[in-house]
């Protein structure tokens, strides 16, 4: 059974992202996903986030992209809540707004099995840093944080 999947590209269409996401939905033993694409539309990222909900064995997720919208961060956060085995989250996105970062803070708060979180972005406001710090206090399994902003 498929346990690891990696996709790297410059840009991915909504149709291709939907197909990729559909593959994730039908891989119940999938443990690791790596998505490295500079440009992914909101529609494609929402399909991807929805697919994560159907990967109960998922332990590691890495996403690298130029920008993630607030709506996508909320969808991603909701999906993480449905990934009980998720231990490692790596998010490297150049542009994430304060609202999107607030959503990521909520992800940390509800990712109960997460042991390692890596976040790279361009900047983080004082309010977001406070929210992020508060969330860390409520993450019982968290062992390592890498924050580069």
């Amino acid at each position: 059974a498929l346990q690891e999947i990696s996709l790297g590209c410059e840009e991915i269409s909504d149709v291709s992202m939907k197909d990729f996401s559909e593959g994730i939905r039908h891989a119940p033993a999938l443990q690791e996903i790596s998505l490295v694409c500079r440009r992914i539309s909101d529609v494609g990222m929402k399909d991807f986030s929805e697919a994560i909900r159907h990967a109960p064995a998922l332990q590691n997720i890495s996403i690298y992209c130029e920008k993630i919208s607030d709506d996508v961060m909320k969808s991603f956060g909701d999906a993480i809540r449905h990934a009980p085995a998720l231990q490692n989250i790596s998010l490297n996105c150049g542009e994430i707004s304060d609202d999107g970062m607030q959503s990521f803070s909520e992800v940390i708060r509800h990712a109960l099995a997460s042991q390692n979180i890596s976040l790279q972005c361009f900047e983080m406001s004082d309010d977001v840093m406070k929210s992020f710090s508060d969330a860390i206090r409520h993450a019982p399994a968290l062992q390592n944080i890498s924050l580069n902003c």
Side-chain angles (χ1 to χ4, degrees):
L2 182 63
Q3 293 183 347
E4 183 178 332
I5 190 166
S6 178
L7 174 65
C9 58
E10 179 71 18
E11 183 172 356
I12 188 165
S13 72
D14 291 344
V15 171
S16 293
M17 196 64 187
K18 186 173 184 90
D19 290 341
F20 177 71
S21 298
E22 199 58 35
I24 292 170
R25 289 176 191 260
H26 296 288
L30 189 62
Q31 296 176 3
E32 185 167 341
I33 299 172
S34 177
L35 178 61
V36 181
C37 295
R38 281 188 59 207
R39 287 183 294 279
I40 307 168
S41 74
D42 284 1
V43 171
M45 281 302 291
K46 284 184 179 179
D47 284 341
F48 176 74
S49 293
E50 183 60 31
I52 293 170
R53 292 175 182 256
H54 302 280
L58 186 62
Q59 295 176 11
N60 306 302
I61 188 164
S62 297
I63 300 174
Y64 299 88
C65 59
E66 281 185 350
K67 180 179 180 179
I68 288 190
S69 74
D70 297 343
D71 287 343
V72 169
M73 282 302 287
K74 287 177 185 167
S75 295
F76 182 64
D78 289 342
I80 296 300
R81 289 184 181 107
H82 292 89
L86 191 60
Q87 296 176 11
N88 303 297
I89 302 169
S90 179
L91 183 60
N92 183 342
C93 296
E95 190 175 325
I96 305 173
S97 73
D98 278 2
D99 286 344
M101 290 298 293
Q102 292 284 4
S103 294
F104 188 74
S105 293
E106 283 302 308
V107 167
I108 295 167
R109 189 180 296 267
H110 296 286
L112 299 179
S114 293
Q115 297 174 1
N116 303 295
I117 294 176
S118 175
L119 174 64
Q120 294 186 23
C121 57
F122 283 147
E123 63 183 279
M124 184 180 288
S125 72
D126 292 343
D127 288 341
V128 170
M129 181 54 88
K130 182 178 181 339
S131 177
F132 188 79
S133 297
D134 289 344
I136 291 168
R137 291 187 205 123
H138 299 284
L142 194 57
Q143 296 176 7
N144 301 298
I145 297 173
S146 175
L147 182 60
N148 297 304
C149 292

